[in-house]
Amino acid sequence: MENSSHRYQLRNLGLPVIRDLNQFSEEIRLSESLIRKYIGFGDYYYFTYEIPKKSGGARLIAQPCRHLKAIQSWILRNILDKLHSSDASKGFEIGTSIYDNAYPHIGSNVILALDIDNFFPSIPGNKIYGVFHSLGYPKNISSALTSLCTYKGFLP
């Protein structure tokens, strides 16, 4: 049975309330069997290749097939883009610029710029699951969304 407080939490955040895969299927307008295929065997639906890094070495690119990418885009637009990070965080926030990031640091003695090595692959599926579950999605949907957004258990 769905926890009604989770339903209200999702609605208060402006997020779609999804109780099961059938409802998710209706939301994204793809068959439930297709969604189940990507949940269970998603890793097989990525095209992987490497591109050279400026600093040397290679970066692995895991590109999802067209349908899986459409599902991920729906999750991005309808769930993740509706969330907000800390006021101190500017990266990946829609409508922010390099200026917005630099402005609070005007007059600082030191500015540190970082490029975290293998950032996306360093985020495991359990962290992704934690995000969806903390928003109020039930375990089965949090698990499904995690499977749809990860490649070999990590963020691609």
Side-chain angles (χ1 to χ4, degrees):
M1 180 178 213
E2 180 185 359
N3 184 337
S4 62
S5 67
H6 289 211
R7 184 175 64 237
Y8 295 126
Q9 180 178 338
L10 289 166
R11 284 189 180 148
N12 285 336
L13 291 170
L15 302 176
V17 177
I18 304 168
R19 292 182 310 271
D20 55 36
L21 286 181
N22 182 52
Q23 188 177 16
F24 183 56
S25 168
E26 291 173 8
E27 284 279 340
I28 66 173
R29 296 184 179 101
L30 286 175
S31 73
E32 187 175 341
S33 63
L34 184 63
I35 294 167
R36 285 185 187 280
K37 179 172 80 169
Y38 292 131
I39 290 169
F41 304 100
D43 290 351
Y44 296 105
Y45 295 95
Y46 280 85
F47 172 65
T48 59
Y49 55 96
E50 293 183 343
I51 58 173
K53 291 182 179 182
K54 289 180 185 176
S55 61
R59 180 180 319 279
L60 177 68
I61 303 296
Q63 181 180 341
C65 72
R66 188 173 55 93
H67 279 127
L68 184 52
K69 185 172 183 169
I71 294 169
Q72 291 170 347
S73 295
W74 186 94
I75 294 168
L76 176 64
R77 281 189 322 277
N78 293 279
I79 298 175
L80 301 174
D81 278 352
K82 294 184 179 187
L83 305 177
H84 300 284
S85 60
S86 160
D87 289 337
S89 175
K90 303 297 182 212
F92 304 106
E93 284 287 331
I94 295 172
T96 61
S97 67
I98 293 172
Y99 174 81
D100 296 317
N101 187 45
Y103 184 77
H105 305 288
I106 292 175
S108 297
N109 292 329
V110 177
I111 294 182
L112 177 64
L114 297 174
D115 181 12
I116 300 173
D117 191 36
N118 294 315
F119 176 71
F120 288 103
S122 73
I123 302 173
N126 65 332
K127 298 291 186 188
I128 307 301
Y129 174 89
V131 169
F132 291 123
H133 194 61
S134 71
L135 294 173
Y137 287 104
K139 290 179 181 180
N140 63 326
I141 295 302
S142 295
S143 182
L145 293 171
T146 299
S147 294
L148 293 165
C149 293
T150 57
Y151 171 69
K152 296 192 175 184
F154 297 91
L155 197 59

